[in-house]
């Protein structure tokens, strides 16, 4: 009897990937506001440990026995990805946010697509195209305009915080580039569970005691903010981002980071009553044009096509 042919995986509609990436950035965009609310009672390291531990528990319950399906050769890579995306990334961002202003953090976050394209080109995971590079540049201009880059400052008190946010951006960008091929053989849910479990093992012993102590003194507002931070910009955002990273190039995933200032602006309008002026409209338009150009540059044949998955990767 002839073996059944291996059917290729079904193509995911691009519209679904784009919608997912927009949702991811909407979730991540709430972190500065919600994170600073939590850090009124919980220190940055405790907040990072709370995110990692809460997410690890949820993902472990969802995945359970599937954790053992990961090949032994992939465990060192998962440890590396956990450092890049969870341990180093979260600690550096929250510690940096506590030492610098939200404006500075919003401006510096716009370096993620630039770092991602740089790493992807240096590691030969993608090839340069004028459309892709132009999209990154246009989107960067819009994001900086919206984040009010003229208010960015390098005062002595904020230098360390600024450097921490930049380091956080570079680690996240490197993770986007390195993790994508591994996601071809490890399901996003399983990989995300592993990353948070490893992160929790490292961060919980050093940060969770301060988080528990802080929440014990926090009012209901602090508990609600902590729950939001764990569920929305952590569990949901990381899982959806991993799924999208499997379906799109690293630079295409990273370019959507420019939407975070848009989310922050909408929150400022909805919560604080700030006015959405002409500057906001122009900046948002530049961001959407940049996102569109990078999507086109990665899907029109200008970018490097990855080789098809091997038979083992289909299993």
């Amino acid at each position: 009897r002839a073996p059944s042919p291996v059917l290729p995986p079904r193509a995911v509609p691009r519209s679904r990937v784009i919608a997912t990436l927009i949702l991811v950035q909407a979730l991540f965009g709430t972190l500065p506001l919600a994170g600073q609310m939590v850090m009124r009672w919980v220190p940055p390291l405790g907040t990072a440990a709370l995110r990692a531990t809460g997410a690890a528990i949820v993902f472990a319950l969802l995945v359970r026995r599937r954790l053992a399906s990961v090949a032994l050769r992939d465990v060192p890579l998962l440890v590396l990805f956990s450092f890049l995306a969870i341990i180093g990334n979260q600690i550096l961002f929250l510690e940096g946010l506590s030492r610098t202003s939200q404006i500075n953090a919003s401006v510096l976050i716009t370096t993620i697509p630039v770092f991602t394209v740089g790493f992807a080109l240096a590691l030969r995971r993608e090839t340069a195209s004028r459309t892709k590079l132009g999209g990154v540049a246009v989107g960067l201009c819009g994001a900086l305009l919206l984040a009010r880059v003229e208010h960015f400052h390098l005062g002595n008190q904020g230098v360390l915080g600024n450097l921490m946010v930049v380091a956080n951006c570079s680690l996240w960008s490197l993770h986007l580039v390195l993790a994508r091929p591994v996601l071809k053989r490890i399901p996003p849910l399983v990989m995300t569970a592993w990353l948070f479990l490893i992160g929790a093992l490292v961060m919980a012993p050093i940060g969770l005691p301060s988080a528990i102590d802080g929440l014990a003194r926090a009012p209901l507002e602090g508990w609600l903010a902590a729950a939001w931070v764990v569920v929305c910009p952590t569990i949901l955002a990381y899982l959806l981002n991993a799924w999208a990273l499997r379906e799109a190039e690293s630079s295409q995933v990273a370019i959507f980071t420019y939407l975070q200032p848009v989310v922050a602006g909408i929150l400022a309008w909805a919560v604080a009553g700030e006015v959405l002026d002409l500057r906001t409209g122009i900046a948002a338009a530049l961001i959407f044009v940049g996102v569109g150009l990078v999507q086109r540059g990665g899907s029109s044949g200008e970018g490097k096509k990855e080789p098809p998955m091997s038979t083992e990767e289909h299993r």
Side-chain angles (χ1 to χ4, degrees):
R1 181 179 178 183
S4 302
V6 176
L7 298 176
R10 294 179 61 185
V12 176
R14 178 163 294 273
S15 59
R16 184 182 301 175
V17 177
I18 292 175
T20 300
L21 287 170
I22 292 174
L23 177 57
V24 166
Q25 296 310 320
L27 294 170
F28 276 140
T30 66
L31 180 58
L33 177 61
Q36 285 200 336
M37 290 178 63
V38 175
M39 286 188 290
R40 294 175 187 173
W41 300 279
V42 180
L45 185 56
T47 304
L50 191 65
R51 293 179 71 192
T53 305
I57 293 172
V58 172
F59 282 122
L61 292 174
L62 290 174
V63 175
R64 289 181 285 187
R65 294 181 180 179
R66 281 181 287 171
L67 283 170
S69 65
V70 172
L72 189 60
R73 65 188 173 104
D74 286 326
V75 173
L77 288 174
L78 294 174
V79 173
L80 172 63
F81 298 159
S82 182
F83 170 76
L84 295 175
I86 309 297
I87 303 169
N89 173 49
Q90 293 191 12
I91 291 176
L92 285 170
F93 180 75
L94 291 170
E95 290 282 358
L97 186 61
S98 69
R99 290 171 170 80
T100 191
S101 66
Q102 282 200 35
I103 289 178
N104 278 20
S106 297
V107 170
L108 294 172
I109 283 173
T110 63
T111 60
I112 288 177
V114 179
F115 276 128
T116 302
V117 170
F119 285 134
L121 296 180
L123 297 173
R124 298 185 178 181
R125 298 293 175 87
E126 298 179 20
T127 55
S129 71
R130 285 175 293 181
T131 303
K132 182 184 296 183
L133 296 179
V136 171
V138 171
L140 178 62
C141 291
L144 292 176
L145 185 64
L146 190 56
R148 300 194 178 276
V149 66
E150 70 272 14
H151 296 306
F152 180 87
H153 61 85
L154 288 172
N156 292 333
Q157 293 181 346
V159 169
L160 179 59
N162 294 336
L163 291 175
M164 285 182 166
V165 175
V166 171
N168 144 77
C169 294
S170 65
L171 293 184
W172 178 253
S173 300
L174 186 57
H175 153 258
L176 291 179
V177 174
L178 295 180
R180 185 172 186 244
V182 182
L183 279 164
K184 297 292 184 180
R185 59 178 181 265
I186 300 178
L189 179 60
V190 175
M191 177 181 281
T192 307
W194 267 96
L195 299 193
F196 275 105
L197 284 169
I198 295 169
L201 288 174
V202 174
M203 290 193 285
I206 57 178
L208 208 53
S210 64
I212 295 173
D213 181 63
L215 287 176
R217 294 179 285 103
L220 179 61
E221 174 189 357
W223 281 87
L224 292 176
W228 180 274
V229 164
V230 171
V231 174
C232 295
T234 306
I235 295 174
L236 293 177
Y238 272 81
L239 178 58
L240 293 172
N241 191 78
W243 176 84
L245 185 59
R246 186 180 63 176
E247 306 297 335
E249 287 185 345
S250 303
S251 59
Q252 292 177 304
V253 172
I255 191 67
F256 280 84
T257 306
Y258 289 152
L259 295 180
Q260 286 193 31
V262 178
V263 175
I266 293 173
L267 286 175
W269 168 74
V271 177
E274 293 189 12
V275 178
L276 299 180
D277 53 12
L278 179 61
R279 175 187 180 127
T280 303
I282 294 173
L286 288 173
I287 290 171
F288 286 116
V289 169
V291 170
L293 288 173
V294 171
Q295 295 302 306
R296 181 182 177 187
S299 60
S300 63
E302 292 178 275
K304 180 181 178 180
K305 299 295 184 182
E306 293 189 358
M309 292 185 290
S310 65
T311 304
E312 291 183 357
E313 292 171 334
H314 279 296
R315 292 175 184 172

